[in-house]
C-alpha cells in the first residue's frame, strides 16, 4: 500500500497558516528525535484536490528539541518566509545553529524588510491612515 504523504510526529498536522499567494502551509508536532521527524507541508492552494508536498524536511530533531508549536507564514512565492518556534529561547538556539552564509542571507532579508516596512515614515503613514479612517489593512498593535 502507498504511504501517506502527511505523517509522522506526535500529531501529523498541528499548525496551519497561509502565504500571501494562497499557498497553505502546515507542520506536524515533533517532540523529540525519538518521536519522529519534523516536516512542513505545502499545498499550492486550498482546493480539496490539491496534493501536499514537503516544503521542509523531514528533519531529525535533537533529543531535547520540540518543533511545531508555532507556525507563521508571510510573503509569497520565492519570497515566502516561514518561522517555526516553540518559544523565544528556541528561536535563539536556531539562530545559533545557522551557518555564517545562511545567517547573512536571513540578516539581509530582515534588513530589507525593516527598511521597507518599519521606518518612521511608514509608521507615520499608518498613523495618518488610521486617524483619517482609511485603515491600514490590519490593526496597529499597541504596547501594554
Amino acid at each position: 500500500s502507498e504511504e501517506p504523504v502527511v505523517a509522522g510526529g506526535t500529531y501529523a498536522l498541528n499548525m496551519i497558516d497561509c502565504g500571501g499567494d494562497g499557498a497553505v502551509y502546515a507542520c506536524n508536532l515533533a517532540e523529540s528525535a525519538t518521536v519522529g521527524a519534523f516536516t512542513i507541508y505545502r499545498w499550492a492552494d486550498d482546493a480539496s484536490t490539491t496534493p501536499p508536498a514537503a516544503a521542509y524536511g523531514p528533519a531529525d530533531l535533537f533529543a531535547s528539541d520540540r518543533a511545531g508549536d508555532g507556525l507563521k507564514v508571510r510573503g509569497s512565492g520565492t519570497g515566502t518566509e516561514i518561522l517555526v518556534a516553540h518559544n523565544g529561547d528556541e528561536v535563539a538556539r536556531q539562530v545559533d545553529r545557522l551557518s555564517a552564509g545562511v545567517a547573512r542571507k536571513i540578516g539581509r532579508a530582515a534588513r530589507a524588510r525593516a527598511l521597507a516596512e518599519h521606518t518612521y515614515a511608514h509608521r507615520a503613514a499608518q498613523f495618518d491612515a488610521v486617524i483619517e479612517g482609511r485603515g491600514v489593512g490590519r490593526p496597529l498593535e499597541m504596547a501594554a
Side-chain angles (χ1 to χ4, degrees):
S1 94
E2 189 175 311
E3 288 189 34
V5 174
V6 176
T10 304
Y11 299 110
L13 285 178
N14 194 50
M15 300 299 293
I16 299 173
D17 201 4
C18 292
D21 55 2
V24 178
Y25 293 85
C27 66
N28 63 354
L29 175 66
E31 295 186 272
S32 70
T34 60
V35 175
F38 177 71
T39 306
I40 299 173
Y41 304 96
R42 180 184 185 275
W43 288 260
D45 55 49
D46 64 353
S48 63
T49 56
T50 302
Y56 173 82
D60 291 329
L61 301 173
F62 291 95
S64 62
D65 283 352
R66 176 181 168 119
D69 285 305
L71 174 74
K72 181 64 183 159
V73 178
R74 69 182 287 165
S76 61
T78 59
T80 301
E81 299 170 349
I82 302 171
L83 175 64
V84 177
H86 180 63
N87 56 39
D89 290 336
E90 182 179 334
V91 171
R93 281 195 308 275
Q94 296 296 341
V95 169
D96 286 342
R97 293 179 185 157
L98 296 175
S99 69
V102 171
R104 275 191 297 277
K105 182 177 179 182
I106 292 171
R108 282 192 295 267
R111 183 176 189 278
R113 182 174 300 282
L115 292 174
E117 299 180 17
H118 300 286
T119 64
Y120 288 116
H122 185 259
R123 292 294 180 247
Q126 284 182 320
F127 180 78
D128 287 346
V130 169
I131 295 300
E132 294 169 4
R134 293 181 282 122
V136 294
R138 66 176 195 217
L140 292 175
E141 295 178 13
M142 303 298 286

